[in-house]
Amino acid sequence: MKIGCFVEKYNFHTREEAGTLKLFKSTAERKGHSFDFIFKKDLDRIAEYDAIFIRATTDPMNTAYVASRMADALGKVVIDDPHSIRVCSSKVVLDDLFRQNSIPSPRSLLFDGDYDQKNLKRIFDYLGFPVVLKAPYTKFSSHVEKAASEAEFREISARYLRHATPIVLQEYMPSSFDWRVGVLDNQLLYLCKYYMPKGGWKVKSLVDGKQQWGKVVPIKRKNAPRKLAELAIKITRCVGDGLYGLDIKEIGGRFFCIEVNDNPSFYLGQEDARDPDLYEKIIDRLASGRPVKPGTYRLNEPF
Amino acid sequence: MTIVVSEDDEDADYSPFAFLESHVNEDVLNVSHDYRYQKMGYYVSMHAELCGCRVTPRCSDILDTHRNPLLMIRASRAGIPCLPYRLISGYEKDLYPALCFAVNPYTCNSVTKVKSESQMYRTIKSLSVNNRYPVSVQPLLGEVKEAVQVFGETDVPEARAIARKFYEAFRIPVGKLVLQVVDGEAKLCHFEPAAKKEVDWALVRERVHALKGR
């Protein structure tokens, strides 16, 4: 089997991420497959491969989406598939998906820039302060901010609305960590706790003027709380049977989904620390010849 | 029953924003002059799909038509005459005269005619956002024409057949086609949103009424 792994230069900038890419390659080769890194200059070569593994940041705005869609159009097995990218890349779409499928998540509203006092009152009465504002294209906790007052709300929302309409507003749910649940083929793949850095409220927060990441605590997937595992599987069944990383908050013994990432990150010694077989499982899925299928809601695909 | 969601109030059963807050289960016709990702036109189709509705246009069609190589692959398969393209991610020599298109999602109206080496260098640098995105390069062989199509109709005579086939294949109600007329034959090069003022809204209304009346 010939596997192409679509990457960008930045995927090799940290030792931890480059290390996982090397492990994907060696795992594939040990199993008798070829595994090539392909860059945007190689897009025209996608047809040569049996399966495409997307590791560059996905979003319909990015070249990774073009790579995924080209592979899909050419009948290749592709992780991330374009359907999952379309669903997971937009917080507006995820918000909609949570509503449609009764997924427990923070209370939320969409906002299109209607600053009428009546509308603002409705928003603040429902969500309270502080209110969390999310641009639809948020990645790695960027473009997610908290507003503690109407003035802050107006300033942040106006900034986000310049690039996308609508944006998502959410109630603030403080917690010291988010669960990160890795799921492949609607089965648990790995489990971590992503802690907020000291003094921050997001996994990547601005603390004392510096962007800081919180620590990552890996946990064996077999030790996942049952309700957490059930929720994670229920959510991915809505999206598809590809590879996902779900961010879930635990508040008072209840679980609330914050987001579903179609292209979860892998860093050496973190996500893979307790369940190192994740490399093999992902390579086997790519080599299976079985395309990634969309989840429980209807989306008509061309071709 | 087809629900019309339109930014043109006269026609609409729903405005786009009201639609996003509703739950429907009928067929949906989404009329917008701009369906780009993260614009309201896109979210209306996405919301309809999440509700399980049949929607025109579909999200996958929207995204495919707005990224040049995906448009070219699908248009060729649909029997639309197209010009060959190459994807490049940095400056290359001897590619001009050419018609270049951004494959990055930010640049609108990116169509650039390139007739010299220095112009090619500048164009690739700009459309690739300093080599961050690929650029689609097609040979410049004939007269370049732009045609705003509305439900497969256009008032540009050379573009009529392509506009009809384009709408049959992709079902994008409104948008601008870029084509080249080579030896008397029109060839599709690109698709992009039309500016609101470029659209014949009277024709849009007429077509919407006809579709609703069916």
Side-chain angles (χ1 to χ4, degrees):
Chain A
M1 209 43 108
K2 227 179 147 192
I3 301 171
C5 179
F6 182 79
V7 285
E8 300 251 22
K9 281 183 194 155
Y10 58 73
N11 292 114
F12 296 91
H13 282 178
T14 64
R15 194 181 58 83
E16 290 80 6
E17 190 174 7
T20 59
L21 289 169
K22 248 166 93 178
L23 273 173
F24 277 118
K25 184 172 169 62
S26 59
T27 306
E29 288 172 350
R30 202 176 59 241
K31 287 179 150 276
H33 310 301
S34 74
F35 189 99
D36 297 337
F37 293 116
I38 53 176
F39 294 82
K40 59 179 180 282
K41 67 178 170 49
D42 308 312
L43 278 178
D44 284 337
R45 289 180 44 216
I46 281 176
E48 297 170 19
Y49 294 91
D50 301 303
I52 297 292
F53 184 31
I54 309 278
R55 284 283 79 207
T57 306
T58 52
D59 186 299
M61 306 286 271
N62 294 354
T63 307
Y65 180 79
V66 178
S68 168
R69 188 74 182 101
M70 283 176 89
D72 181 56
L74 295 165
K76 314 294 175 187
V77 175
V78 55
I79 293 177
D80 294 328
D81 64 298
H83 168 88
S84 297
I85 297 176
R86 289 202 305 270
V87 172
C88 299
S89 292
S90 170
K91 304 312 162 213
V92 173
V93 175
L94 279 180
D95 182 67
D96 206 354
L97 185 79
F98 293 165
R99 272 174 223 270
Q100 306 273 342
N101 293 282
S102 307
I103 304 295
S105 57
R107 274 187 290 188
S108 64
L109 289 170
L110 298 181
F111 184 65
D112 72 340
D114 176 2
Y115 290 102
D116 182 82
Q117 274 305 329
K118 228 167 95 184
N119 190 42
L120 292 183
K121 185 174 180 319
R122 178 183 71 96
I123 292 168
F124 301 143
D125 284 351
Y126 182 60
L127 300 177
F129 279 114
V131 59
V132 176
L133 295 92
K134 284 184 170 185
Y137 45 83
T138 160
K139 296 268 176 214
F140 307 111
S141 301
S142 64
H143 304 101
V144 179
E145 291 177 64
K146 236 175 13 181
S149 65
E150 183 182 326
E152 267 184 34
F153 173 83
R154 284 176 178 271
E155 186 273 318
I156 299 166
S157 58
R159 194 154 26 89
Y160 288 176
L161 285 164
R162 276 204 291 272
H163 302 288
T165 312
I167 59 172
V168 179
L169 312 178
Q170 267 181 355
E171 72 170 313
Y172 176 50
M173 275 191 169
S175 65
S176 58
F177 70 88
D178 282 354
W179 287 101
R180 165 55 67 98
V181 189
V183 178
L184 175 70
D185 242 339
N186 302 132
Q187 291 177 13
L188 246 56
L189 184 67
Y190 65 89
L191 184 66
C192 292
K193 283 181 177 178
Y194 283 179
Y195 278 85
M196 316 302 163
K198 207 172 169 192
W201 65 281
K202 300 182 288 183
V203 171
K204 182 187 172 194
S205 292
L206 193 66
V207 181
D208 299 332
K210 266 189 185 167
Q211 288 291 353
Q212 293 191 16
W213 292 91
K215 65 175 178 178
V216 176
V217 176
I219 294 164
K220 265 192 176 297
R221 63 176 176 250
K222 68 172 188 189
N223 295 331
R226 188 177 51 85
K227 281 186 183 168
L228 174 69
E230 283 172 2
L231 177 62
I233 302 302
K234 177 183 174 185
I235 296 167
T236 61
R237 284 192 197 284
C238 300
V239 184
D241 61 3
L243 172 65
Y244 309 99
L246 293 87
D247 295 333
I248 296 178
K249 280 195 191 294
E250 182 177 359
I251 312 272
R254 294 178 62 205
F255 295 96
F256 299 88
C257 189
I258 303 301
E259 57 187 59
V260 186
N261 300 284
D262 57 292
N263 187 14
S265 47
F266 292 103
Y267 293 101
L268 209 58
Q270 297 186 7
E271 290 80 3
D272 60 356
R274 293 287 178 267
D275 290 297
D277 62 351
L278 65 86
Y279 295 100
E280 201 168 320
K281 285 180 178 287
I282 292 170
I283 295 298
D284 285 349
R285 181 67 176 85
L286 284 161
S288 69
R290 186 163 48 88
V292 172
K293 286 198 303 288
T296 51
Y297 61 85
R298 276 179 284 162
L299 266 189
N300 298 319
E301 297 287 341
F303 292 102
Chain B
M1 169 78 181
T2 299
I3 291 172
V4 177
V5 182
S6 176
E7 59 188 328
D8 184 17
D9 288 344
E10 268 189 49
D11 279 324
D13 296 311
Y14 287 92
S15 71
F17 195 76
F19 181 72
L20 292 190
E21 294 197 322
S22 66
H23 186 88
V24 296
N25 54 13
E26 281 104 337
D27 292 355
V28 174
L29 173 63
N30 169 20
V31 181
S32 171
H33 74 287
D34 188 349
Y35 294 97
R36 276 176 298 163
Y37 184 65
Q38 288 185 6
K39 298 289 178 186
M40 205 50 126
Y42 178 82
Y43 284 124
V44 166
S45 285
M46 195 74 205
H47 179 72
E49 288 186 357
L50 287 168
C51 287
C53 304
R54 278 201 309 188
V55 60
T56 303
R58 301 182 300 193
C59 292
S60 49
D61 289 333
I62 291 173
L63 289 171
D64 287 353
T65 48
H66 287 71
R67 304 302 280 269
N68 189 269
L70 301 177
L71 169 72
M72 291 291 108
I73 290 174
R74 286 195 55 200
S76 298
R77 288 187 183 178
I80 297 172
C82 295
L83 281 170
Y85 69 93
R86 268 195 64 195
L87 290 177
I88 59 170
S89 58
Y91 167 71
E92 287 182 27
K93 272 188 168 178
D94 301 327
L95 284 177
Y96 71 93
L99 206 53
C100 298
F101 307 97
V103 187
N104 81 69
Y106 310 104
T107 312
C108 204
N109 302 318
S110 68
V111 185
T112 310
K113 280 186 213 173
V114 176
K115 292 183 173 170
S116 70
E117 205 70 63
S118 59
Q119 200 188 357
M120 178 60 88
Y121 180 81
R122 287 194 306 273
T123 301
I124 298 300
K125 191 171 157 60
S126 154
L127 296 186
S128 68
V129 196
N130 285 328
N131 303 333
R132 278 182 60 209
Y133 293 94
V135 175
S136 179
V137 180
Q138 299 180 12
L140 180 59
L141 301 172
E143 189 186 355
V144 178
K145 295 246 173 198
E146 290 186 350
V148 174
Q149 70 89 23
V150 171
F151 293 99
E153 291 182 35
T154 175
D155 54 9
V156 177
E158 299 92 329
R160 280 185 184 136
I162 285 183
R164 196 177 59 249
K165 280 189 179 172
F166 173 85
Y167 183 63
E168 279 167 14
F170 298 103
R171 312 297 288 178
I172 308 284
V174 179
K176 192 192 289 181
L177 300 167
V178 178
L179 37 103
Q180 287 189 56
V181 181
V182 184
D183 299 330
E185 193 193 353
K187 308 228 183 214
L188 179 65
C189 298
H190 193 59
F191 175 80
E192 61 185 28
K196 201 165 183 178
K197 62 179 184 217
E198 290 177 311
V199 179
D200 180 351
W201 289 100
L203 178 61
V204 173
R205 257 166 245 147
E206 198 180 296
R207 291 293 166 267
V208 168
H209 290 161
L211 286 167
K212 281 202 86 168
R214 265 182 205 167

